[in-house]
Amino acid sequence: MHRGPSLFKACVFLLASSAALAVQAADSKLDSVLQRGHLIVGTGSTNAPWHFQGADGKLQGFDIDIGKLIAKGLFNDPSKVEFVVQSSDARIPNLLTDKVDISCQFITVTASRAQQVAFTLPYYREGVGLLLPANSKYKEIEDLKAAGDSVTVAVLQNVYAEELVHQALPKAKVDQYDSVDLMYQAVNSGRADTAATDQSSVKYLMVQNPGRYRSPAYAWSPQTYACAVKRGDQDWLNFVNTALHEAMTGVEFPTYAASFKQWFGVDLPTPAIGFPVEFK
């Protein structure tokens, strides 16, 4: 006797759920970006090799290339992207106020930030690396460790600088400098045996100065870089993740690999064919 009303309630619930899903899909950032005809990316302008102005005044760098890859996924045209230059502390607020569609600005993923924004798939794993003159007597991290306190490491001034260096070289002397230029000058002049800085910066400096520097095959203190989008829009997050995933493992891999080579001097191995590498 009660099946009729129950069935009626179930139908009403399903219809309401379907309507809610339809509204959610219609309100997705994905649809509004497609309708607008171009992507708006928040990024920086002063940090090579990630985002900086070239001699022509145009933005370039790995983050810029990531933005163009997402635009290509949207419109089959990497030029359909507008870059909004923002400070580091505006990366999240500009998302929350819809000033930008996505922030791609070497954002380090943390659990606390993930409460404010939704992070995409990571597109780079950063760490601390060591920069050595090409003719250094030290070859690998083991040589530097064995030298103990006879090794001097230049590092950018920071309250955690000594602790960070001593994670890799417990007995090394640490000299702190006010700028990265002074840090590199210390290495060039011989006042420091090596410099400890972001591995991406080490790789980029080696690309810019072929044959002048080298780096041990060792890095530490890993952190993840990802783009960020506004929370609550699964369709938009799914799309960006798809675009990034296929850039790193699929049809757009040649473009991603060419950018990686340009900025970091590294030839990436071609993704394996057959069983998806994500499940190994």
Side-chain angles (χ1 to χ4, degrees):
M1 293 293 294
H2 296 288
R3 289 182 180 179
S6 298
L7 182 59
F8 176 76
K9 290 179 181 179
C11 290
V12 170
F13 175 78
L14 289 172
L15 288 171
S17 299
S18 299
L21 289 173
V23 170
Q24 183 180 15
D27 291 341
S28 174
K29 176 73 72 174
L30 175 59
D31 298 299
S32 61
V33 171
L34 289 170
Q35 185 174 12
R36 184 200 302 139
H38 71 276
L39 175 69
I40 302 176
V41 177
T43 193
S45 63
T46 58
N47 294 282
W50 296 95
H51 38 258
F52 64 105
Q53 289 184 317
D56 58 1
K58 295 181 180 179
L59 287 174
Q60 57 182 321
F62 196 62
D63 279 337
I64 305 306
D65 290 346
I66 291 296
K68 291 178 179 178
L69 272 167
I70 297 169
K72 184 178 180 182
L74 287 161
F75 306 106
N76 198 31
D77 184 347
S79 71
K80 289 191 174 182
V81 56
E82 173 190 347
F83 292 103
V84 173
V85 175
Q86 58 189 14
S87 60
S88 294
D89 58 6
R91 293 177 297 186
I92 290 177
N94 282 353
L95 279 174
L96 302 183
T97 57
D98 290 311
K99 186 174 181 180
V100 300
D101 303 318
I102 185 170
S103 281
C104 297
Q105 194 174 349
F106 63 11
I107 307 174
T108 300
V109 177
T110 68
S112 61
R113 285 176 175 168
Q115 297 174 42
Q116 303 174 69
V117 296
F119 284 109
T120 67
L121 292 176
Y123 60 88
Y124 191 84
R125 181 63 43 75
E126 185 64 280
V128 180
L130 295 170
L131 182 74
L132 293 164
N135 61 356
S136 173
K137 62 182 178 180
Y138 304 111
K139 302 301 179 185
E140 295 297 338
I141 189 69
E142 290 77 17
D143 303 319
L144 291 160
K145 283 184 178 179
D149 60 7
S150 65
V151 169
T152 299
V153 181
V155 66
L156 191 63
Q157 190 171 31
N158 186 286
V159 66
Y160 302 110
E162 288 207 24
E163 177 186 343
L164 190 65
V165 171
H166 288 155
Q167 288 176 9
L169 300 171
K171 297 181 179 179
K173 296 177 183 176
V174 179
D175 285 348
Q176 300 188 40
Y177 292 87
D178 293 334
S179 72
V180 291
D181 289 338
L182 291 175
M183 183 177 68
Y184 295 146
Q185 287 175 23
V187 174
N188 295 338
S189 66
R191 295 195 308 276
D193 298 293
T194 184
T197 188
D198 289 345
Q199 191 183 53
S200 60
S201 297
V202 170
K203 292 182 179 299
Y204 178 66
L205 198 64
M206 292 168 62
V207 168
Q208 297 299 110
N209 301 272
R212 186 173 185 179
Y213 302 106
R214 60 183 178 80
S215 182
Y218 179 82
W220 71 100
S221 189
Q223 56 183 317
T224 299
Y225 287 167
C227 295
V229 298
K230 197 173 182 179
R231 285 179 53 193
D233 190 341
Q234 193 63 47
D235 280 354
W236 179 229
L237 180 61
N238 287 348
F239 171 80
V240 176
N241 281 342
T242 298
L244 291 175
H245 184 273
E246 295 314 303
M248 293 183 285
T249 67
V251 293
E252 291 298 332
F253 176 76
T255 303
Y256 179 89
S259 177
F260 209 95
K261 173 70 172 179
Q262 178 181 0
W263 302 117
F264 308 123
V266 175
D267 290 303
L268 295 176
T270 301
I273 309 300
F275 189 79
V277 67
E278 296 84 354
F279 300 105
K280 288 187 178 181

